[in-house]
Amino acid sequence: MTQVPVIESKNLDLTFETADGPVAALKDVSLQIGAGEFVSFIGPSGCGKTTFLRCVAALEEPTGGSLTVNGMSPEEARKARAYGYVFQAAGLYPWRTIAKNIRLPLEIMGFSRAEQEERVNRVLELVDLAGFGGKYPWQLSGGMQQRASIARALSFDADILLMDEPFGALDEIVRDHLNEELLKLWARTGKTIGFVTHSIPEAVYLSTKIVVMSPRPGRITDVIESTLPQERPLDIRDTPEFLEIAHRVRDGLRAGHAYD
Amino acid sequence: MTQVPVIESKNLDLTFETADGPVAALKDVSLQIGAGEFVSFIGPSGCGKTTFLRCVAALEEPTGGSLTVNGMSPEEARKARAYGYVFQAAGLYPWRTIAKNIRLPLEIMGFSRAEQEERVNRVLELVDLAGFGGKYPWQLSGGMQQRASIARALSFDADILLMDEPFGALDEIVRDHLNEELLKLWARTGKTIGFVTHSIPEAVYLSTKIVVMSPRPGRITDVIESTLPQERPLDIRDTPEFLEIAHRVRDGLRAGHAYD
Amino acid sequence: QDEVTLQLKWVTQAQFAGYYVAKDKGFYEEENLDVTIKPGGPDIAPEQVIAAGGADVITTWMAAGLAARERGVPLVNIAQPFKTGGLQVNCLKSAGIETPEDFPGHIMGVWFYGNEYPFYAWMASLGIETDGADENGVSVIKQAFSADPLIQGQADCISTMTYNEYGQVLDAGITEDELVTFNYLEMGFGMLEDGLYVLEENLEDPEFRDKMVRFVRASMKGWKYAEENPAEAAQIVLDNDETGAQTLEHQEYMMGEVAKLTEGSDGTLDPADYEQTVKTLLSAVSAENPAITKEPEGAWTHDITDEALK
Amino acid sequence: MRTILPVAVVVAAIVAFWYLAAIPMNIHFAVTSAQRAGAEVTPESGAERRNMGAIALAARNPAQWTDSWTQAKPRLPVPHQVVAELWRTTALQHPASKQSLVYHGWVTLSATVVGFAIGTGLGILLAIGIVHSRAMDMSVMPWAIASQTIPILAIAPMIIVVLNSIGVQGLIPKAIISAYLSFFPVVVGMVKGLRSPDAMQFDLLKTYNASRSETFWKLRLPASAPYLFASLKVGIAASLVGAIVGELPTGASRGLGARLLTGSYYGQTVQIWSALFATAILAAALVAIVAGIERATLKRMGLAT
Amino acid sequence: MILIIAALALWAIMWTVNVRLANGESAGTSTVRLLVPLLFGLTLLAMWELVVRGLELPIVILPAPSVIAERVAGSGPTLWVDFKQTFLKGALGGYAIGCTAAFLTAILVDRWDFLRRGLLPVGSFVAALPIVGTAPILVMWYGFDWHSKAAVVVLMVFFPMLVNIVAGLQDTTQMQRDLMKTYAASYWQGLFKLRLPAAMPFIFNGLKISSTLAMIGAIVAEFFGSPIVGMGFRISTSVGQLALDMVWAEIVVAALAGSAFYGVVALIERRLTFWHPSQRR
Ligand SMILES: Nc1ncnc2c1ncn2[C@@H]1O[C@H](COP(=O)(O)OP(=O)(O)OP(=O)(O)O)[C@@H](O)[C@H]1O
Ligand SMILES: Nc1ncnc2c1ncn2[C@@H]1O[C@H](COP(=O)(O)OP(=O)(O)OP(=O)(O)O)[C@@H](O)[C@H]1O
Ligand SMILES: Cc1ncc(C[n+]2csc(CCO)c2C)c(N)n1
Ligand SMILES: [Mg+2]
Ligand SMILES: [Mg+2]
């Protein structure tokens, strides 16, 4: 996997100015992500995973270093609508039905009515929600809402998908299920995915590359290329290979963790 | 572990009357918990774990069957302050400092000022929060808040500790740490613990007995007596014995699960 | 037709019967005038309205008119339909009041809003303080709207108009021999009541003067008609009352009493009455009574009435 | 349904208390008129009665109790008098007659509605400005609060006079005063509402590179709907108060405010009370209408079940 | 005309300055937080002055701020006794009584749900009675001195307070209440240790709303009968005497006192409910 890097960060720094003084959220972060990779970011709370993803999405302004997305600045990439972003909570607008929520980016990006219709239906199917388009978010379970929010990020077909703990609020079983689905989707679409998680099994199960981070200031402590095969049934998680990678991740995590 | 049962439930039923008709939350639940046991309840969302714990705590009124706590009715046990309850979120009162939060039950139960002082300090130490008593809850991290809430439940020294997903909102690493601490605490105090969780490793790691439940109506599908030793370092989780129990739990879960 | 807007000092009632009669009977129309009558109320200072251009002519009491003149609204009295005044003070005999010497130690209701000047002048001449009830002073309260304070026993004396509140007191079952009445006019603290006032600068305009001449002529015709036909006048007032709150009975009483006040006037201001008003006002200049501080000049004219009555 | 019984009980208790309270309130006049009509009363001297407590007098003259419920100008009219007056001035009058409270209510209502529309529009515009411009936020908000500490009744006459002098009369001055009272709750609620979406919801639109106006129309505005309606309910009640206050210095000739005022000039307490109740009923109806629109709108938006 | 144009120019300049300040680097500092609204207010005052002078408005229509300021400075003692009568006695007295009564009622109402369901709808109806109608009645009942003004204020603040306190007492999460239950806490323990502290933000919301209402209520009530002292008395009397500068002087005092009152309540709120998310910065 040594294609042209889709996301390339060199010595990226980000320091927040707060009332209590500066907080170094990212320090000297260098990373390359190639096209079609599935990269997980794992690390203790507050280590800067979200911040890094937000920098890529041009939702945050780095204070040092360089960052390119598709060869452009993040800002340009955002304007070019280069990525879809999935937040931790589904964040569906409660006054819109599921279909209308998915249509939201399409409206803003000026797709024609007919195309909106067609795309909404397509992604609804993709995330297994066909028939639920007319429902309001609160009429759906948490897992279904999260799938809708993924559908929303997929609807305009950006090549990059950035996901910030998308399954953090779900229970383990639903989560397992969605992980499987996500892998299938990734295989089908070949998108480049940046994925933040707290869960070691999740990271290991999903990724081609696992980025382990440590807090204060947030830096990368380990980058693990997964040796797992492309095809991953759920019970791959009981294989020694899987456990080994998980172990390495855990060690990396433990090293940089201050507990609270 | 065949002492006198501290908690004994026989054919317990609970049906909620809702606007959409009755919801059977618990059906025919029979269970015995002996003194000093650590019992985990695991099961998919909505299977009635919380409801069962709330019945034990007399926060919910069963609609059928019988339930005794320390040989009394749950209501009497509650009045006798027989248990400490830890909720999913820390639920600290934001207008009280950590120390004052922990003192809350002591004030209500009429402990003397001096004793309040002493107990607060003792449990603060117990949960590793000495020195944070004067802080307000929002000034602490989630993990610290959760420990404070455990301290609060411990302060008045009830023999039973009921915990409803106490670590659900925390990240994996902090959770690991708190799990370790909880085990130590249990070993030291010999309390009887009822513990609800979504996490299979957590349940297996902590418990002497794992109760697997299935939803609609919530019933017990499996009760697994743990074969793990009393002494449990964190990496016991990579042993085959551990994995086997985990596997059994997962199978039990999968059987009753509807995914969404 | 020439348009004229008249701002009244108070709500539609028989106190202003002449104007309503003139309008209803077509007297204004005969003079080729289209008159709009704006009712007033406790929140309306007609002097302010005319200064802002909201009216061509207003009715007000002379004290307020002269006070406005001193404050830069140059009002001129062009006619005085009310020959005498109806303002009086009523006290309860049961409170131990027979003569003004009995006032100290009692509570007196007074109308403010520009109507308080004669009261202060009177008290000053009696040497009675107005800062609280004790052996040499009275306690003054701002009496609102009605005769309630006397009826409810909250005051020992209140201000009344012969044509309105006095009737309400009697209506409430307090008999005339339970009351003592002090009439400001009779005590020499009289003050001209409802007169017609316009802005001085407007009078320089011959067209406006002509309008006013016709207006005064028609208005006086209305007044005289009202005096002669009180029942009809009361009914006209009632018809013009947009609140629908007035009763015919009370308006008939009021018309009867108002007629006694307008009876002696053909609209021409009697300079002697003017002098007495000025004297009253100047007799007790103080913080509470800042009506006028110096002899006004040019505050009235006979030009309009002379012309109108020719 | 769950509220009907408690409300009925509370209302019944109030009515009972009201009748009781009316006895001492009106007893002085009742005894005096009874004496005038030749009845035996204690004490016989009017002066003595005047200095006597109301309850003591009532206790000594139980025969006059019922008289205190039937006076023409009582200190405290009793419920049936108020209801009868309300009935007489609504159902028994032609709605266009000036005797009719329907007519006066209509006059007040039209100023209320216009004022409410102006106030709401202004409030929303201000809120939009405040939300989008920091300078406006910092400058305007403290003064908006200060503006509400000015006694409107004091400046209402001046507003009327000034507007009058530039030729604006009739409905509009009243509506402006009414708008002055209603804009504030709308500003406060709307600012809160427009700011209610969380950072994530804003970030989502940012990832779509949405413009400010798209953010407004697709996020801020819909999110503010519940807040807006909450303020509108406060605002419409304030508008009604404003319209009534505005009626006092406009010559107090028409409208419920004028009825209140003229009632008090002539001591017609029954008329005051019926106008008061008419106002409260009108306010309740207006709030109910806004609540109805709220329910329908939020339901259509999927924000309520 | 020149003065009018000057007013508009001043507006434009000040607004630019404010926009710069608000978006500038030091926008967060407390100096700027104070400076911006102050500048805005001063600009409005200056424009008022210029317009009044430019249009040569007579004093009986609208006095210029300088004239009002002169009157404020020159009538200190009068303004002070009026303030004492209306604010310290009428407004504060009524505010204290009204808020206390609302508080006690709220606790009753909170204890018996039946009362809540019955009293709140009736209360909202009573709250809709306009003050211009109730004030004359209350003056008739409670006399001309400050007691009747306090009564008007009580009537005005009671219901907003009641609604807020009742809402506040119910603003606890299931979990917080269950926690109390697990301690087998008594009703009063639950009230004092949970519900009252939780209600604080709501109570202060009510107290803030009521603070401006109290000021207005006390003044307006004086229009309907009063002793010969008080802000409302002075305003209505001065209008009749066409002393518009005095009217505005009283309005200035009212606005200052009202804003200060509001500010003090907000400050206490900050002190006591520092723990609430809305108060944390
Ligand atoms: N807007 C901000 N202002 C100030 N500090 C911030 C801001 N956003 C984040 N931080 C700080 O930057 C650090 C990194 O935060 P970030 O949210 O990226 O962590 P994270 O790895 O996503 O944590 P979590 O797992 O809890 O989501 C933290 O210490 C956080 O407190
Ligand atoms: N107060 C209530 N009224 C009606 N239904 C209820 C109530 N509380 C719980 N339920 C229903 O009872 C069932 C069991 O709920 P319970 O909270 O015990 O589940 P749980 O196992 O704790 O789930 P989770 O893992 O999501 O916490 C669910 O279907 C729930 O919807
Ligand atoms: C607030 C108030 N001020 C004055 C009067 C007295 N009054 C009775 S009739 C009338 C009109 C005179 O032309 C006036 C001023 C009042 N009743 N209420
Ligand atoms: Mg994060
Ligand atoms: Mg649960």
mmCIF file with all atom_site columns, all heavy atoms in Angstrom, chain B residues 212-228:
data_model
loop_
_atom_site.group_PDB
_atom_site.id
_atom_site.type_symbol
_atom_site.label_atom_id
_atom_site.label_alt_id
_atom_site.label_comp_id
_atom_site.label_asym_id
_atom_site.label_entity_id
_atom_site.label_seq_id
_atom_site.pdbx_PDB_ins_code
_atom_site.Cartn_x
_atom_site.Cartn_y
_atom_site.Cartn_z
_atom_site.occupancy
_atom_site.B_iso_or_equiv
_atom_site.pdbx_formal_charge
_atom_site.auth_seq_id
_atom_site.auth_comp_id
_atom_site.auth_asym_id
_atom_site.auth_atom_id
_atom_site.pdbx_PDB_model_num
ATOM 1   N N   . VAL B 1 212 ? -26.281 -14.265 32.413 1.00 0.00 ? 212 VAL B N   1
ATOM 2   C CA  . VAL B 1 212 ? -26.525 -13.806 31.039 1.00 0.00 ? 212 VAL B CA  1
ATOM 3   C C   . VAL B 1 212 ? -28.023 -13.718 30.818 1.00 0.00 ? 212 VAL B C   1
ATOM 4   O O   . VAL B 1 212 ? -28.763 -14.645 31.151 1.00 0.00 ? 212 VAL B O   1
ATOM 5   C CB  . VAL B 1 212 ? -25.905 -14.769 30.010 1.00 0.00 ? 212 VAL B CB  1
ATOM 6   C CG1 . VAL B 1 212 ? -26.116 -14.245 28.593 1.00 0.00 ? 212 VAL B CG1 1
ATOM 7   C CG2 . VAL B 1 212 ? -24.425 -14.969 30.289 1.00 0.00 ? 212 VAL B CG2 1
ATOM 8   N N   . MET B 1 213 ? -28.464 -12.569 30.292 1.00 0.00 ? 213 MET B N   1
ATOM 9   C CA  . MET B 1 213 ? -29.905 -12.376 30.137 1.00 0.00 ? 213 MET B CA  1
ATOM 10  C C   . MET B 1 213 ? -30.279 -12.143 28.680 1.00 0.00 ? 213 MET B C   1
ATOM 11  O O   . MET B 1 213 ? -29.456 -11.729 27.862 1.00 0.00 ? 213 MET B O   1
ATOM 12  C CB  . MET B 1 213 ? -30.371 -11.180 30.985 1.00 0.00 ? 213 MET B CB  1
ATOM 13  C CG  . MET B 1 213 ? -30.148 -11.406 32.479 1.00 0.00 ? 213 MET B CG  1
ATOM 14  S SD  . MET B 1 213 ? -30.641 -10.005 33.483 1.00 0.00 ? 213 MET B SD  1
ATOM 15  C CE  . MET B 1 213 ? -32.410 -10.054 33.292 1.00 0.00 ? 213 MET B CE  1
ATOM 16  N N   . SER B 1 214 ? -31.540 -12.409 28.353 1.00 0.00 ? 214 SER B N   1
ATOM 17  C CA  . SER B 1 214 ? -32.023 -12.181 26.987 1.00 0.00 ? 214 SER B CA  1
ATOM 18  C C   . SER B 1 214 ? -33.264 -11.296 27.059 1.00 0.00 ? 214 SER B C   1
ATOM 19  O O   . SER B 1 214 ? -33.967 -11.313 28.060 1.00 0.00 ? 214 SER B O   1
ATOM 20  C CB  . SER B 1 214 ? -32.359 -13.508 26.322 1.00 0.00 ? 214 SER B CB  1
ATOM 21  O OG  . SER B 1 214 ? -33.636 -13.923 26.739 1.00 0.00 ? 214 SER B OG  1
ATOM 22  N N   . PRO B 1 215 ? -33.490 -10.544 26.020 1.00 0.00 ? 215 PRO B N   1
ATOM 23  C CA  . PRO B 1 215 ? -34.557 -9.534  26.124 1.00 0.00 ? 215 PRO B CA  1
ATOM 24  C C   . PRO B 1 215 ? -35.938 -10.059 25.750 1.00 0.00 ? 215 PRO B C   1
ATOM 25  O O   . PRO B 1 215 ? -36.079 -11.090 25.133 1.00 0.00 ? 215 PRO B O   1
ATOM 26  C CB  . PRO B 1 215 ? -34.112 -8.474  25.140 1.00 0.00 ? 215 PRO B CB  1
ATOM 27  C CG  . PRO B 1 215 ? -33.304 -9.199  24.126 1.00 0.00 ? 215 PRO B CG  1
ATOM 28  C CD  . PRO B 1 215 ? -32.802 -10.479 24.721 1.00 0.00 ? 215 PRO B CD  1
ATOM 29  N N   . ARG B 1 216 ? -36.889 -9.231  26.084 1.00 0.00 ? 216 ARG B N   1
ATOM 30  C CA  . ARG B 1 216 ? -38.290 -9.343  25.683 1.00 0.00 ? 216 ARG B CA  1
ATOM 31  C C   . ARG B 1 216 ? -38.887 -10.703 25.753 1.00 0.00 ? 216 ARG B C   1
ATOM 32  O O   . ARG B 1 216 ? -38.915 -11.401 24.762 1.00 0.00 ? 216 ARG B O   1
ATOM 33  C CB  . ARG B 1 216 ? -38.451 -8.771  24.282 1.00 0.00 ? 216 ARG B CB  1
ATOM 34  C CG  . ARG B 1 216 ? -38.687 -7.293  24.487 1.00 0.00 ? 216 ARG B CG  1
ATOM 35  C CD  . ARG B 1 216 ? -38.512 -6.460  23.409 1.00 0.00 ? 216 ARG B CD  1
ATOM 36  N NE  . ARG B 1 216 ? -37.742 -5.326  23.938 1.00 0.00 ? 216 ARG B NE  1
ATOM 37  C CZ  . ARG B 1 216 ? -37.979 -4.090  23.598 1.00 0.00 ? 216 ARG B CZ  1
ATOM 38  N NH1 . ARG B 1 216 ? -38.906 -3.826  22.763 1.00 0.00 ? 216 ARG B NH1 1
ATOM 39  N NH2 . ARG B 1 216 ? -37.270 -3.115  24.083 1.00 0.00 ? 216 ARG B NH2 1
ATOM 40  N N   . PRO B 1 217 ? -39.410 -11.141 26.758 1.00 0.00 ? 217 PRO B N   1
ATOM 41  C CA  . PRO B 1 217 ? -39.267 -10.539 28.084 1.00 0.00 ? 217 PRO B CA  1
ATOM 42  C C   . PRO B 1 217 ? -37.937 -10.917 28.690 1.00 0.00 ? 217 PRO B C   1
ATOM 43  O O   . PRO B 1 217 ? -37.413 -11.979 28.378 1.00 0.00 ? 217 PRO B O   1
ATOM 44  C CB  . PRO B 1 217 ? -40.418 -11.181 28.850 1.00 0.00 ? 217 PRO B CB  1
ATOM 45  C CG  . PRO B 1 217 ? -40.593 -12.530 28.207 1.00 0.00 ? 217 PRO B CG  1
ATOM 46  C CD  . PRO B 1 217 ? -40.224 -12.357 26.766 1.00 0.00 ? 217 PRO B CD  1
ATOM 47  N N   . GLY B 1 218 ? -37.386 -10.045 29.544 1.00 0.00 ? 218 GLY B N   1
ATOM 48  C CA  . GLY B 1 218 ? -36.069 -10.313 30.102 1.00 0.00 ? 218 GLY B CA  1
ATOM 49  C C   . GLY B 1 218 ? -36.053 -11.587 30.940 1.00 0.00 ? 218 GLY B C   1
ATOM 50  O O   . GLY B 1 218 ? -36.770 -11.700 31.919 1.00 0.00 ? 218 GLY B O   1
ATOM 51  N N   . ARG B 1 219 ? -35.277 -12.542 30.521 1.00 0.00 ? 219 ARG B N   1
ATOM 52  C CA  . ARG B 1 219 ? -35.120 -13.739 31.368 1.00 0.00 ? 219 ARG B CA  1
ATOM 53  C C   . ARG B 1 219 ? -33.659 -14.155 31.400 1.00 0.00 ? 219 ARG B C   1
ATOM 54  O O   . ARG B 1 219 ? -32.857 -13.745 30.565 1.00 0.00 ? 219 ARG B O   1
ATOM 55  C CB  . ARG B 1 219 ? -36.005 -14.880 30.897 1.00 0.00 ? 219 ARG B CB  1
ATOM 56  C CG  . ARG B 1 219 ? -36.101 -15.059 29.388 1.00 0.00 ? 219 ARG B CG  1
ATOM 57  C CD  . ARG B 1 219 ? -36.840 -16.313 29.024 1.00 0.00 ? 219 ARG B CD  1
ATOM 58  N NE  . ARG B 1 219 ? -38.227 -16.140 28.603 1.00 0.00 ? 219 ARG B NE  1
ATOM 59  C CZ  . ARG B 1 219 ? -39.257 -16.743 29.178 1.00 0.00 ? 219 ARG B CZ  1
ATOM 60  N NH1 . ARG B 1 219 ? -39.081 -17.496 30.223 1.00 0.00 ? 219 ARG B NH1 1
ATOM 61  N NH2 . ARG B 1 219 ? -40.481 -16.583 28.707 1.00 0.00 ? 219 ARG B NH2 1
ATOM 62  N N   . ILE B 1 220 ? -33.339 -15.003 32.378 1.00 0.00 ? 220 ILE B N   1
ATOM 63  C CA  . ILE B 1 220 ? -31.963 -15.457 32.509 1.00 0.00 ? 220 ILE B CA  1
ATOM 64  C C   . ILE B 1 220 ? -31.748 -16.620 31.555 1.00 0.00 ? 220 ILE B C   1
ATOM 65  O O   . ILE B 1 220 ? -32.489 -17.600 31.576 1.00 0.00 ? 220 ILE B O   1
ATOM 66  C CB  . ILE B 1 220 ? -31.681 -15.895 33.960 1.00 0.00 ? 220 ILE B CB  1
ATOM 67  C CG1 . ILE B 1 220 ? -31.823 -14.682 34.883 1.00 0.00 ? 220 ILE B CG1 1
ATOM 68  C CG2 . ILE B 1 220 ? -30.302 -16.523 34.085 1.00 0.00 ? 220 ILE B CG2 1
ATOM 69  C CD1 . ILE B 1 220 ? -31.597 -14.992 36.341 1.00 0.00 ? 220 ILE B CD1 1
ATOM 70  N N   . THR B 1 221 ? -30.762 -16.507 30.668 1.00 0.00 ? 221 THR B N   1
ATOM 71  C CA  . THR B 1 221 ? -30.513 -17.610 29.742 1.00 0.00 ? 221 THR B CA  1
ATOM 72  C C   . THR B 1 221 ? -29.372 -18.490 30.226 1.00 0.00 ? 221 THR B C   1
ATOM 73  O O   . THR B 1 221 ? -29.282 -19.647 29.843 1.00 0.00 ? 221 THR B O   1
ATOM 74  C CB  . THR B 1 221 ? -30.162 -17.089 28.338 1.00 0.00 ? 221 THR B CB  1
ATOM 75  O OG1 . THR B 1 221 ? -29.137 -16.115 28.451 1.00 0.00 ? 221 THR B OG1 1
ATOM 76  C CG2 . THR B 1 221 ? -31.380 -16.500 27.667 1.00 0.00 ? 221 THR B CG2 1
ATOM 77  N N   . ASP B 1 222 ? -28.495 -17.936 31.049 1.00 0.00 ? 222 ASP B N   1
ATOM 78  C CA  . ASP B 1 222 ? -27.352 -18.729 31.481 1.00 0.00 ? 222 ASP B CA  1
ATOM 79  C C   . ASP B 1 222 ? -26.799 -18.150 32.779 1.00 0.00 ? 222 ASP B C   1
ATOM 80  O O   . ASP B 1 222 ? -26.809 -16.929 32.972 1.00 0.00 ? 222 ASP B O   1
ATOM 81  C CB  . ASP B 1 222 ? -26.262 -18.700 30.388 1.00 0.00 ? 222 ASP B CB  1
ATOM 82  C CG  . ASP B 1 222 ? -25.285 -19.863 30.536 1.00 0.00 ? 222 ASP B CG  1
ATOM 83  O OD1 . ASP B 1 222 ? -25.441 -20.659 31.488 1.00 0.00 ? 222 ASP B OD1 1
ATOM 84  O OD2 . ASP B 1 222 ? -24.371 -19.961 29.695 1.00 0.00 ? 222 ASP B OD2 1
ATOM 85  N N   . VAL B 1 223 ? -26.362 -18.992 33.674 1.00 0.00 ? 223 VAL B N   1
ATOM 86  C CA  . VAL B 1 223 ? -25.650 -18.523 34.868 1.00 0.00 ? 223 VAL B CA  1
ATOM 87  C C   . VAL B 1 223 ? -24.319 -19.255 34.902 1.00 0.00 ? 223 VAL B C   1
ATOM 88  O O   . VAL B 1 223 ? -24.286 -20.479 34.966 1.00 0.00 ? 223 VAL B O   1
ATOM 89  C CB  . VAL B 1 223 ? -26.443 -18.799 36.155 1.00 0.00 ? 223 VAL B CB  1
ATOM 90  C CG1 . VAL B 1 223 ? -25.628 -18.361 37.363 1.00 0.00 ? 223 VAL B CG1 1
ATOM 91  C CG2 . VAL B 1 223 ? -27.772 -18.093 36.125 1.00 0.00 ? 223 VAL B CG2 1
ATOM 92  N N   . ILE B 1 224 ? -23.233 -18.499 34.774 1.00 0.00 ? 224 ILE B N   1
ATOM 93  C CA  . ILE B 1 224 ? -21.918 -19.124 34.663 1.00 0.00 ? 224 ILE B CA  1
ATOM 94  C C   . ILE B 1 224 ? -21.133 -18.876 35.940 1.00 0.00 ? 224 ILE B C   1
ATOM 95  O O   . ILE B 1 224 ? -20.893 -17.723 36.322 1.00 0.00 ? 224 ILE B O   1
ATOM 96  C CB  . ILE B 1 224 ? -21.154 -18.530 33.458 1.00 0.00 ? 224 ILE B CB  1
ATOM 97  C CG1 . ILE B 1 224 ? -21.984 -18.721 32.187 1.00 0.00 ? 224 ILE B CG1 1
ATOM 98  C CG2 . ILE B 1 224 ? -19.771 -19.170 33.331 1.00 0.00 ? 224 ILE B CG2 1
ATOM 99  C CD1 . ILE B 1 224 ? -21.556 -17.822 31.050 1.00 0.00 ? 224 ILE B CD1 1
ATOM 100 N N   . GLU B 1 225 ? -20.737 -19.969 36.620 1.00 0.00 ? 225 GLU B N   1
ATOM 101 C CA  . GLU B 1 225 ? -19.872 -19.815 37.783 1.00 0.00 ? 225 GLU B CA  1
ATOM 102 C C   . GLU B 1 225 ? -18.442 -19.711 37.262 1.00 0.00 ? 225 GLU B C   1
ATOM 103 O O   . GLU B 1 225 ? -17.984 -20.557 36.497 1.00 0.00 ? 225 GLU B O   1
ATOM 104 C CB  . GLU B 1 225 ? -19.992 -21.038 38.706 1.00 0.00 ? 225 GLU B CB  1
ATOM 105 C CG  . GLU B 1 225 ? -21.384 -21.266 39.289 1.00 0.00 ? 225 GLU B CG  1
ATOM 106 C CD  . GLU B 1 225 ? -21.694 -20.334 40.466 1.00 0.00 ? 225 GLU B CD  1
ATOM 107 O OE1 . GLU B 1 225 ? -20.757 -19.701 40.997 1.00 0.00 ? 225 GLU B OE1 1
ATOM 108 O OE2 . GLU B 1 225 ? -22.887 -20.224 40.826 1.00 0.00 ? 225 GLU B OE2 1
ATOM 109 N N   . SER B 1 226 ? -17.765 -18.685 37.653 1.00 0.00 ? 226 SER B N   1
ATOM 110 C CA  . SER B 1 226 ? -16.420 -18.503 37.130 1.00 0.00 ? 226 SER B CA  1
ATOM 111 C C   . SER B 1 226 ? -15.445 -19.508 37.737 1.00 0.00 ? 226 SER B C   1
ATOM 112 O O   . SER B 1 226 ? -15.526 -19.828 38.918 1.00 0.00 ? 226 SER B O   1
ATOM 113 C CB  . SER B 1 226 ? -15.933 -17.097 37.419 1.00 0.00 ? 226 SER B CB  1
ATOM 114 O OG  . SER B 1 226 ? -14.618 -16.942 36.947 1.00 0.00 ? 226 SER B OG  1
ATOM 115 N N   . THR B 1 227 ? -14.549 -19.978 36.887 1.00 0.00 ? 227 THR B N   1
ATOM 116 C CA  . THR B 1 227 ? -13.520 -20.895 37.372 1.00 0.00 ? 227 THR B CA  1
ATOM 117 C C   . THR B 1 227 ? -12.196 -20.187 37.547 1.00 0.00 ? 227 THR B C   1
ATOM 118 O O   . THR B 1 227 ? -11.180 -20.803 37.843 1.00 0.00 ? 227 THR B O   1
ATOM 119 C CB  . THR B 1 227 ? -13.339 -22.041 36.367 1.00 0.00 ? 227 THR B CB  1
ATOM 120 O OG1 . THR B 1 227 ? -13.142 -21.466 35.076 1.00 0.00 ? 227 THR B OG1 1
ATOM 121 C CG2 . THR B 1 227 ? -14.563 -22.931 36.334 1.00 0.00 ? 227 THR B CG2 1
ATOM 122 N N   . LEU B 1 228 ? -12.204 -18.872 37.350 1.00 0.00 ? 228 LEU B N   1
ATOM 123 C CA  . LEU B 1 228 ? -10.954 -18.123 37.477 1.00 0.00 ? 228 LEU B CA  1
ATOM 124 C C   . LEU B 1 228 ? -10.566 -18.033 38.946 1.00 0.00 ? 228 LEU B C   1
ATOM 125 O O   . LEU B 1 228 ? -11.426 -18.049 39.831 1.00 0.00 ? 228 LEU B O   1
ATOM 126 C CB  . LEU B 1 228 ? -11.125 -16.701 36.908 1.00 0.00 ? 228 LEU B CB  1
ATOM 127 C CG  . LEU B 1 228 ? -11.387 -16.609 35.421 1.00 0.00 ? 228 LEU B CG  1
ATOM 128 C CD1 . LEU B 1 228 ? -11.514 -15.146 35.005 1.00 0.00 ? 228 LEU B CD1 1
ATOM 129 C CD2 . LEU B 1 228 ? -10.263 -17.269 34.625 1.00 0.00 ? 228 LEU B CD2 1
#
